[in-house]
Amino acid sequence: MSEQPEQPEQPEQPKQPKQPEQPEQPEQPQNNDSKHAVQVNFLGVYFLLVLAFAFWLLFDVWSSNFALIRLLGLSAEAVADPMLRAIGFAIVGGIMGSVLYQIRVLYHYYAQKRVYDSRWFGKYITGPWEGAGMSMVVLALIRGGVAVFGGSPGTDVTSAGNFATFGVGALVGFGLRDVVEWVESLIKTMFTIPAQDAGIGESENQGEQETTNQL
């Protein structure tokens, strides 16, 4: 048998140039912006409107005009009461302080952390009015406490007193969570429960907690 002719060697294929490695794509953040944009935009407009209303109310109280109070049909003697101005300054301070705090929190969780939770939408809405109500409570506690300990309740209308009342209201509105904890501790101090009744109260609270967990 005749030998098979040797096959000619195949020329080497030119090496393909290496493809450059694709850089790793950074992780895309969650699409939280578009999901909650409507709520956040609404809250931004809402806070600006409430802040504008608070500024108007501040000048209304400072000038002793009390346009909103007069709409309720109060007498001239009631409008002229110095305590009304103090309450007005406290309310305005509470609204302004709470609005500034809510804007700060909204910016922190939506723009920086991008973990905005729509379940807190109602809390953003009611925050300024909670600050207004709590500022009146704190004002009553401060002035009432001074009167109880033999001091003057300080109903005289002075610029320093009005600014101090406004400042207290602003602090209450800005630190509403801490103020609520302070009021709770004050309640526990003032309204102590005897040991026997305390045990009954704890058992009732545990039962309510179990019922809440089941729901």
Side-chain angles (χ1 to χ4, degrees):
M1 295 179 64
S2 60
E3 296 181 356
Q4 295 293 333
E6 296 181 358
Q7 297 293 333
E9 295 181 358
Q10 296 293 334
E12 295 182 358
Q13 297 293 333
K15 295 182 179 180
Q16 297 293 333
K18 293 183 178 180
Q19 297 294 334
E21 296 181 357
Q22 297 293 332
E24 295 182 359
Q25 296 294 331
E27 295 182 359
Q28 296 295 331
Q30 297 180 354
N31 191 14
N32 196 33
D33 296 342
S34 59
K35 183 178 179 180
H36 302 296
V38 176
Q39 282 192 5
V40 173
N41 291 333
F42 174 82
L43 288 175
V45 175
Y46 172 74
F47 288 147
L48 291 178
L49 291 176
V50 174
L51 195 60
F53 169 76
F55 273 109
W56 174 83
L57 188 60
L58 175 63
F59 288 103
D60 184 67
V61 173
W62 173 74
S63 62
S64 299
N65 188 28
F66 299 113
L68 294 179
I69 300 298
R70 293 180 187 277
L71 291 177
L72 300 177
L74 296 181
S75 62
E77 291 78 9
V79 174
D81 189 354
M83 182 57 69
L84 187 61
R85 295 195 70 190
I87 294 175
F89 278 107
I91 291 175
V92 174
I95 294 175
M96 285 188 173
S98 180
V99 168
L100 295 177
Y101 176 77
Q102 300 295 339
I103 292 175
R104 174 179 175 271
V105 171
L106 184 63
Y107 173 78
H108 176 75
Y109 286 104
Y110 179 76
Q112 291 185 330
K113 298 296 184 180
R114 298 197 175 187
V115 290
Y116 172 81
D117 193 342
S118 59
R119 292 178 297 178
W120 292 92
F121 180 77
K123 186 67 175 179
Y124 285 112
I125 296 294
T126 60
W129 314 113
E130 292 178 9
M134 186 59 70
S135 64
M136 289 193 295
V137 173
V138 173
L139 176 65
L141 291 174
I142 293 176
R143 291 179 177 267
V146 172
V148 166
F149 289 105
S152 172
T155 57
D156 296 336
V157 178
T158 61
S159 299
N162 290 335
F163 276 111
T165 303
F166 173 78
V168 170
L171 291 177
V172 171
F174 196 87
L176 184 60
R177 181 175 59 181
D178 297 330
V179 174
V180 170
E181 294 179 357
W182 172 72
V183 172
E184 289 179 351
S185 64
L186 187 62
I187 292 174
K188 293 179 182 179
T189 303
M190 294 181 62
F191 305 103
T192 55
I193 303 176
Q196 183 177 359
D197 296 338
I200 298 175
E202 290 178 358
S203 61
E204 292 178 352
N205 291 334
Q206 292 177 356
E208 293 178 356
Q209 184 66 29
E210 292 177 358
T211 304
T212 304
N213 294 334
Q214 292 177 359
L215 294 176

